[in-house]
Amino acid sequence: MSQPKVSVIIPVHNGSRYIQKTAKGILAQDYENIELILVENFSSDKSLELCEQLKQADKRVIVVQSTERGTSLARKKGVETATGKYIIFSDQDDEYISKSSISKMQKAISDDNAQITQFNYYKY
């Protein structure tokens, strides 16, 4: 049985300090059928350049430039771009994602016929 695709959407605004580690953590998931949508949102640092590097390194990465400012509008743009059956929102500084987060989410959805899941958090 094939895995349903999961779209992970990250709005990126001046996130050059975090975005590579966060993206690499998502791309290293044990659940492989994902697309990572990075929505660049008017950054003045090297965020867009770093997003493009991530796209070049992994075909599952999609980079979109938002035409409107704001996190909510960037997420909306990501949803419009998403092709997955499920959508996860992440922040650009969510650097400490467990390697099995998405597979555990998918299992919870399958086992419980859930319509929504929520992750816990780790305070560093």
Side-chain angles (χ1 to χ4, degrees):
M1 186 169 129
S2 67
Q3 300 174 319
K5 185 186 284 185
V6 175
S7 299
V8 181
I9 300 169
I10 303 178
V12 180
H13 177 75
N14 291 336
S16 61
R17 180 175 170 194
Y18 310 103
I19 193 57
Q20 286 187 306
K21 187 172 182 180
T22 300
K24 288 178 182 177
I26 291 168
L27 295 170
Q29 291 291 300
D30 60 6
Y31 191 94
E32 295 180 1
N33 193 13
I34 63 171
E35 66 182 359
L36 175 57
I37 303 170
L38 303 173
V39 184
E40 204 291 314
N41 194 236
F42 295 91
S43 296
S44 59
D45 64 3
K46 294 186 178 197
S47 293
L48 180 58
E49 180 182 327
L50 296 173
C51 289
E52 291 293 344
Q53 288 174 7
L54 289 161
K55 178 182 173 181
Q56 293 300 316
D58 194 308
K59 64 181 169 94
R60 298 175 294 167
V61 177
I62 299 165
V63 177
V64 178
Q65 284 191 278
S66 181
T67 56
E68 300 180 78
R69 292 186 189 270
T71 302
S72 295
L73 294 172
R75 286 188 176 140
K76 181 180 176 188
K77 184 75 165 177
V79 169
E80 291 169 357
T81 305
T83 63
K85 181 174 182 180
Y86 302 107
I87 293 175
I88 295 174
F89 294 110
S90 183
D91 293 324
Q92 65 188 8
D93 61 350
D94 290 345
E95 298 177 300
Y96 299 102
I97 187 168
S98 163
K99 202 172 170 143
S100 60
S101 293
I102 295 175
S103 62
K104 287 180 180 177
M105 178 206 69
Q106 176 58 36
K107 184 174 179 346
I109 289 170
S110 296
D111 290 353
D112 299 332
N113 198 25
Q115 293 182 359
I116 190 168
T117 62
Q118 178 178 329
F119 293 103
N120 207 344
Y121 70 93
Y122 174 77
K123 187 174 182 178
Y124 177 75

